[in-house]
Amino acid sequence: MYIITDQLRSLGFSVNKLNNLISRNNHIRTFNTLDYFCIYIIMEDIRLEVENMHYSIKSGHIAFIGPHKQVTFGEALGEEIYIIVFSSSFYERSSKDSLFLNSQLFFNYNSEIFIAPFTNLEEKRAVFMERMESFQLKDESLYISAAHNAIERLILDAFLHIPADEMKKDIKFDYLYYVNRFKVLLQRDFRKAKKVSHYAGELNISSRKLTEMTEYVLGKTAKHIIIEKIVSECKKAVHFSNQTISEISYELGFSNEGNFSNFIKKHTGKNPSEMK
């Protein structure tokens, strides 16, 4: 199991080359983002698997991945891929910072990952390795400030690649925050909790309020989002694993195969076995 670096534990921020992280992980190439936000500066071609979905990313791109995601790296050397990891408490200093973290960069509703091209390759290398190292040696407070500014710069560059019609500029900030927290909790708890009341309780709001928020942000009820998540995980398991239907039903938190099959049939029109 991967053990986070001392720097990440103490500061809430770290930047490392991918090959160093894989070495720390006993050469296992699968990680979980846990509660952290991740930005990957990709300077060599690589294949990624994020929540069982595959992505081929060319050199010259940057990828954003939110909390509680399982990520598996393909067989790239990893010497030219930089992994920036940070906590919300490290980055959030203002409402603008919170808006960035709860944006489509880290909570892209159409995919588990947001990928954008970047320019000035050598500049980014200098910022995240040479300059950051200089600040770290000089003064911790300067290092933290430099890290925050560097992350913000990457985020602002990536915002340019979100289509204007997808930017929900009129969205209520608190709604956006709660809906994205709900999505993080759902990613963590969907196997054991399938009722809206569980997630509303975790957020200290009513089930009705949570549904109002999800309908405003996503155009769907909270219950519908939970159902979509379970159905999606079922499809992934059927297509990408060798588990039996009984094993999949247990993995997804159902008491027995019959209940699971009835649930999937009700919401897709097909039995799990018909999805193969």
Side-chain angles (χ1 to χ4, degrees), residues 34 67 110 116 200 231 258:
L34 304 175
N110 299 316
V231 170

Side-chain angles (χ1 to χ4, degrees), residues 46 50 53 77 84 88-89 112 155 162 176 182 184 190 195 198 213 219 234 242 244 254:
I46 190 170
V50 185
M53 300 302 291
L77 293 176
I84 301 156
S88 59
S89 59
E112 301 288 358
I155 288 174
I162 298 179
L176 183 63
F182 166 52
V184 170
F190 72 89
K195 292 184 177 181
H198 167 80
M213 291 174 172
C234 170
N242 295 320
T244 65
F254 286 82

Side-chain angles (χ1 to χ4, degrees), residues 6-246:
D6 292 338
Q7 183 189 88
L8 181 57
R9 184 180 293 105
S10 62
L11 298 183
F13 167 84
S14 72
V15 55
N16 279 286
K17 288 184 178 181
L18 173 60
N19 60 334
N20 292 336
L21 294 185
I22 291 173
S23 178
R24 282 177 54 84
N25 199 34
N26 295 319
H27 301 286
I28 297 170
R29 305 180 77 90
T30 296
F31 299 81
N32 192 293
T33 60
L34 304 175
D35 290 322
Y36 296 101
F37 294 79
C38 300
I39 302 176
Y40 303 158
I41 297 177
I42 297 169
M43 302 181 188
E44 60 180 286
D45 295 353
I46 190 170
R47 287 181 61 82
L48 285 184
E49 182 180 312
V50 185
E51 291 296 308
N52 295 318
M53 300 302 291
H54 296 269
Y55 304 89
S56 294
I57 307 177
K58 294 290 186 181
S59 173
H61 286 78
I62 186 167
F64 296 78
I65 301 180
H68 295 290
K69 300 289 177 64
Q70 181 168 291
V71 182
T72 301
F73 294 93
E75 293 299 324
L77 293 176
E79 296 178 356
E80 293 296 327
I81 297 173
Y82 296 93
I83 312 294
I84 301 156
V85 182
F86 58 97
S87 65
S88 59
S89 59
F90 170 84
Y91 187 74
E92 287 182 291
R93 301 180 182 180
S94 67
S95 59
K96 178 194 68 174
D97 293 343
S98 297
L99 183 60
F100 284 166
L101 289 192
N102 289 285
S103 72
Q104 289 160 282
L105 296 183
F106 295 103
F107 295 93
N108 182 7
Y109 301 122
N110 299 316
S111 173
E112 301 288 358
I113 184 173
F114 185 92
I115 302 168
F118 67 76
T119 55
N120 300 323
L121 174 66
E122 291 305 319
E123 177 189 353
K124 286 185 170 56
R125 189 199 308 272
V127 167
F128 280 101
M129 299 312 294
E130 297 165 18
R131 284 183 60 198
M132 294 299 295
E133 185 175 345
S134 297
F135 280 121
Q136 187 175 16
L137 294 172
K138 188 176 183 67
D139 181 83
E140 184 175 283
S141 62
L142 282 176
Y143 177 68
I144 291 171
S145 181
H148 184 278
N149 291 341
I151 292 169
E152 180 173 285
R153 192 169 178 180
L154 291 175
I155 288 174
L156 287 171
D157 285 350
F159 263 110
L160 296 175
H161 299 282
I162 298 179
D165 58 351
E166 291 184 16
M167 295 287 287
K168 295 181 168 66
K169 294 180 180 178
D170 62 337
I171 210 162
K172 293 181 180 178
F173 171 71
D174 57 338
Y175 279 26
L176 183 63
Y177 172 80
Y178 278 105
V179 168
N180 284 335
R181 285 298 304 156
F182 166 52
K183 286 172 69 67
V184 170
L185 291 169
L186 182 61
Q187 182 71 26
R188 186 191 72 185
D189 294 348
F190 72 89
R191 291 178 179 84
K192 68 177 183 180
K194 297 174 174 57
K195 292 184 177 181
V196 176
S197 58
H198 167 80
Y199 299 97
E202 289 285 308
L203 295 168
N204 293 315
I205 58 176
S206 68
S207 297
R208 182 175 179 179
K209 188 65 176 179
L210 177 57
T211 290
E212 177 187 331
M213 291 174 172
T214 59
E215 286 181 328
Y216 185 90
V217 175
L218 302 176
K220 303 172 184 177
T221 66
K223 181 178 180 180
H224 185 75
I225 294 166
I226 295 170
I227 291 169
E228 279 189 336
K229 176 64 177 174
I230 297 168
V231 170
S232 172
E233 293 297 327
C234 170
K235 290 178 178 178
K236 288 179 187 178
V238 167
H239 289 297
F240 299 115
S241 79
N242 295 320
Q243 292 178 303
T244 65
I245 301 302
S246 179

Side-chain angles (χ1 to χ4, degrees), residues 194 230-231 234 245-246 248-250 252-267 270-272:
K194 297 174 174 57
I230 297 168
V231 170
C234 170
I245 301 302
S246 179
I248 293 171
S249 67
Y250 178 79
L252 296 183
F254 286 82
S255 57
N256 58 66
E257 182 178 340
N259 288 341
F260 172 64
S261 295
N262 290 338
F263 177 91
I264 297 300
K265 177 76 172 180
K266 177 181 178 181
H267 296 291
K270 294 182 179 180
N271 290 315

